[in-house]
Amino acid sequence: MATIIDGKRISGEIRAELAEKTKEFQSKHGTVPGLAVIIVGEDPASRVYVRNKHKACAEVGFYSEVHELPADSTQEHVIALIDRLNEQENIHGILVQLPLPKHLDEQTILLRIKPEKDVDAFHPYNVGKIMIGDYNVLPCTPAGVMQLLARSGVSAAGKHCVVIGRSNIVGKPMAMLLLHDNGTVTICHSRTPDLKAQTLQADILVAAVGRAGFVTADMVKPGAVVIDVGINRNAEGKLCGDVDFESVNEVASMITPVPGGVGPMTITMLLQNTLTAAEAALNK
Ligand code: NDP
């Protein structure tokens, strides 16, 4: 049986550290880090995510504001709000909850956020900084995975790391962070022939596919560390990851569960990015 990497516990540890750092920040600067979240429309899942972000900010002592815009908001209206928040001194991070309604141009909107307030690290400027290894903020989910590994005593150095998935939000930056940690990295995707031959090489296997139970025990090298980024619903409607936990648990040395693995880390890393952005703004 593998050791469970407990994302809830690790996330709690980091949030406690962030709460302490926020107190220090406040006594030094007389203000607290501030996050603005913009949500357009009524998507229930997005609303839950936004509420959780607002709550998490309060827990560590940040200021946060939520801008709920109607689903028929115009592009100009959203851009005008971002422009205002870009200049607002008590806001150090701006996040636009995705997905946006179809009539809005996601790229134009995301590009409007000043790179120094881009706490999702989606802006091409920040993506480029990550590429060259000179970054302030990191995309939240891959950064969360790196924290889970580091705080479980796992380094990518000298290891073969296989990432399944090449999205801009998870797969690609994940591979880059493992590379920065001196892993030898393979990125797999839907056009990879003989995926199993690749995954069997992995000392660290990261699944970011979006398919319930996609990674099975026969695809995992005995003793591998398995990180499951996926958030899916199985046939019974139960939350599950991309990894068939029951079987892979018998082969891996360490594994993240779903829920309670990578999931809790994502908001925590958003908080970290907001503090980092606030420190950069006030230490200018
Ligand atoms: P995307 O759909 O953008 O990317 C999925 C990737 O999986 C693509 O690169 C795709 O390849 C690859 N893929 C699909 N089918 C196969 C296959 N049969 N064999 C190999 N590769 C395949 O998803 P995201 O990256 O946004 O998210 C991935 C998962 O992580 C989802 O379940 C999502 O819900 C979850 N997630 C979890 C977060 C968290 O906080 N824990 C945060 C963000 C996402 P190709 O590029 O060729 O199409």
Side-chain angles (χ1 to χ4, degrees):
M1 291 261 276
T3 302
I4 304 292
I5 299 179
D6 184 347
K8 232 172 143 182
R9 180 183 59 75
I10 294 174
S11 166
E13 270 172 31
I14 299 175
R15 288 191 195 194
E17 292 165 16
L18 284 169
E20 280 309 306
K21 288 181 190 162
T22 303
K23 283 186 200 147
E24 288 164 26
F25 183 96
Q26 186 168 21
S27 53
K28 187 171 170 200
H29 299 291
T31 185
V32 293
L35 175 72
V37 181
I38 301 172
I39 174 167
V40 187
E42 310 290 333
D43 180 55
S46 294
R47 286 192 168 243
V48 172
Y49 292 143
V50 168
R51 246 199 325 272
N52 288 344
K53 286 167 186 170
H54 190 55
K55 217 170 105 203
C57 280
E59 275 167 23
V60 297
F62 289 5
Y63 168 74
S64 72
E65 50 188 49
V66 177
H67 296 266
E68 295 182 351
L69 306 185
D72 60 357
S73 299
T74 61
Q75 179 94 0
E76 292 69 32
H77 187 72
V78 181
I79 294 242
L81 174 59
I82 292 174
D83 286 347
R84 179 159 70 71
L85 294 168
N86 273 338
E87 299 311 317
Q88 200 172 309
E89 268 190 20
N90 64 339
I91 293 298
H92 307 100
I94 303 170
L95 180 148
V96 176
Q97 185 66 42
L98 300 177
L100 287 168
K102 294 254 181 303
H103 69 281
L104 296 174
D105 179 357
E106 194 170 292
Q107 272 313 306
T108 307
I109 288 173
L110 293 179
L111 273 169
R112 197 74 176 200
I113 299 171
K114 272 188 185 170
E116 51 270 41
K117 293 196 178 188
D118 166 40
V119 283
D120 259 337
F122 289 167
H123 193 290
Y125 176 82
N126 287 322
V127 174
K129 297 268 281 178
I130 292 160
M131 190 81 168
I132 60 174
D134 167 30
Y135 42 77
N136 256 346
V137 290
L138 291 172
C140 300
T141 302
V145 171
M146 295 310 290
Q147 282 293 323
L148 288 179
L149 291 173
R151 288 172 187 250
S152 305
V154 179
S155 159
K159 309 261 171 57
H160 193 153
C161 310
V162 175
V163 179
I164 320 177
R166 57 172 165 179
S167 70
N168 290 331
I169 297 176
V170 188
K172 278 186 214 158
M174 186 71 253
M176 196 52 63
L177 298 190
L178 290 163
L179 182 65
H180 287 321
D181 194 28
N182 297 314
T184 300
V185 184
T186 302
I187 306 176
C188 300
H189 47 79
S190 67
R191 307 286 186 91
T192 302
D194 199 357
L195 179 67
K196 184 175 161 183
Q198 299 294 337
T199 59
L200 279 171
Q201 302 294 318
D203 303 307
I204 299 175
L205 178 62
V206 181
V209 186
R211 287 190 182 198
F214 182 80
V215 175
T216 46
D218 59 315
M219 296 167 70
V220 177
K221 178 173 160 179
V225 174
V226 178
I227 305 289
D228 191 350
V229 179
I231 301 178
N232 315 292
R233 298 260 168 206
N234 66 11
E236 292 84 49
K238 214 176 126 212
L239 204 65
C240 66
D242 290 343
V243 175
D244 177 31
F245 185 87
E246 296 305 322
S247 70
V248 174
N249 189 21
E250 302 295 326
V251 184
S253 63
M254 289 182 165
I255 189 166
T256 60
V258 178
V262 177
M265 296 298 289
T266 297
I267 295 184
T268 301
M269 300 322 290
L270 171 71
L271 299 173
Q272 174 64 65
N273 280 347
T274 304
L275 176 64
T276 303
E279 277 168 346
L282 282 125
N283 289 331
K284 256 189 199 159

